């Protein structure tokens, strides 16, 4: 594995023929969630059942969370409000536009542009996604910017600014999407995730929906589903 900087973001590269992002295979970009260290998802490249040629990029979010040493965020949250929301149970944020989300999205777009150019990755060999807040910035990137991808991965995410996302989905008809969510997720609403699934399906995106009995996590059924999704949507295009 190696670390490089693209678009001002530190990125961990793995997989590929040299296990450091080398070769000319497809690229899977996965972004971690709020409060996680920048290396939180890096271990996934070793456990996913995908061809050796598949390369992985794990960007680190730009913001440090001072109250949580080592933790990072794509955009900052009101921690007091977040703790209160946890006590009340997960809620729906579909009508909210998080402050800082657009700046984070611009950073991701710049990172993806430089990544694709440096690694020679065509649009039909690129999968973009993430976990929790990382999946939200991935959705905002795909639905509100000109980024084209072979697939979108939403692991335990939730809709925000759904009206804008819905409009952006009109130009993404047929896009393969993997969406997973725990039925007992204490942080992000399972019902809101189902709402996002319904909106994407209505927009004629090809949604592979994996609900699971669990919380805010990435269990074995999700790993198996993600492996299958990568093989079918990206490696098939590469092969």
């Amino acid at each position: 594995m190696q670390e490089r900087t693209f678009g001002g973001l530190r990125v961990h590269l793995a997989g590929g023929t040299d296990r450091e992002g080398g070769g000319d295979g497809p690229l899977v970009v996965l972004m971690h969630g709020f409060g996680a260290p920048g290396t939180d998802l890096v271990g996934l490249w070793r456990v996913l059942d995908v061809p050796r040629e598949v390369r992985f990029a794990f960007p680190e979010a730009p913001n440090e969370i001072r109250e949580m040493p080592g933790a990072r965020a794509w955009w900052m949250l009101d921690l007091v409000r977040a703790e209160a929301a946890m006590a009340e149970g997960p809620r729906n944020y579909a009508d909210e536009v998080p402050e800082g989300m657009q700046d984070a999205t611009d950073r991701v777009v710049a990172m993806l542009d430089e990544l694709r150019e440096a690694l020679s990755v065509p649009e039909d060999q690129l999968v973009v996604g993430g976990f929790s807040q990382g999946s939200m910035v991935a959705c905002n990137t795909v639905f509100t910017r000109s980024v084209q991808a072979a697939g979108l991965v939403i692991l335990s995410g939730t809709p925000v600014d759904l009206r804008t996302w819905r409009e952006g989905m009109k130009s993404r008809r047929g896009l393969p999407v993997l969406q997973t969510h725990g039925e007992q997720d204490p942080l992000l609403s399972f019902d809101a995730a189902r709402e996002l699934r319904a909106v994407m399906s209505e927009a004629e995106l090809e949604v592979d929906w994996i609900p699971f009995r669990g919380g805010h996590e990435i269990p074995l059924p999700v790993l198996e589903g993600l492996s299958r999704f990568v093989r079918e949507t990206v490696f098939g295009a590469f092969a």
Side-chain angles (χ1 to χ4, degrees):
M1 186 175 66
Q2 63 171 312
E3 294 181 13
R4 294 175 60 182
T5 299
F6 299 95
L9 298 179
R10 180 183 300 170
V11 178
H12 303 270
L13 296 174
T17 54
D18 63 358
R19 319 318 284 158
E20 294 187 344
D24 58 359
L27 179 66
V28 178
V29 180
L30 295 175
M31 291 171 276
H32 64 81
F34 178 88
T39 57
D40 187 53
L41 299 181
V42 169
L44 291 181
W45 81 272
R46 293 186 179 277
V47 298
L48 294 177
D49 182 15
V50 297
R52 185 181 181 89
E53 291 84 350
V54 177
R55 297 176 285 177
F56 292 89
F58 302 96
E60 293 195 7
N63 300 300
E64 296 182 1
I65 305 175
R66 294 180 180 177
E67 300 88 343
M68 303 167 62
R72 307 194 70 83
W74 294 98
W75 57 85
M76 301 304 294
L77 301 178
D78 183 330
L79 295 181
V80 174
R81 182 188 178 204
E83 290 178 1
M86 286 179 60
E88 298 169 359
R91 56 185 292 264
N92 196 322
Y93 299 95
D95 293 331
E96 298 190 14
V97 183
E99 183 179 356
M101 182 174 68
Q102 302 308 334
D103 178 66
T105 302
D106 290 339
R107 288 171 174 260
V108 169
V109 171
M111 179 266 298
L112 290 174
D113 286 345
E114 291 190 14
L115 255 179
R116 287 188 54 239
E117 181 176 0
L119 302 185
S120 300
V121 182
E123 292 174 342
D124 64 357
Q125 293 182 20
L126 174 69
V127 166
V128 177
F131 175 78
S132 193
Q133 191 186 60
S135 74
M136 298 175 216
V137 72
C139 286
N140 204 56
T141 297
V142 172
F143 296 145
T144 71
R145 302 297 195 271
S146 60
V147 171
Q148 299 287 337
L152 171 65
V153 174
I154 307 171
L155 306 177
S156 296
T158 199
V160 291
D161 195 13
L162 186 54
R163 184 175 66 176
T164 301
W165 286 9
R166 187 194 301 265
E167 185 66 24
M169 290 175 196
K170 294 178 181 179
S171 63
R172 296 291 184 260
R173 181 178 300 176
L175 175 70
V177 178
L178 175 68
Q179 185 188 12
T180 73
H181 210 96
E183 295 172 355
Q184 287 82 43
D185 191 326
L187 300 178
L188 297 177
S189 166
F190 181 74
D191 289 340
R194 289 197 301 184
E195 178 186 7
L196 176 58
R197 175 203 178 196
V199 171
M200 291 190 295
S201 296
E202 290 170 3
E204 299 184 33
L205 280 65
E206 299 178 3
V207 183
D208 183 357
W209 165 245
I210 302 180
F212 58 90
R213 296 175 66 94
H216 202 64
E217 56 190 302
I218 305 178
L220 181 58
V222 171
L223 294 175
E224 293 173 341
L226 179 55
S227 297
R228 182 181 65 252
F229 183 78
V230 170
R231 292 195 306 266
E232 293 178 354
T233 62
V234 182
F235 191 77
F238 168 71

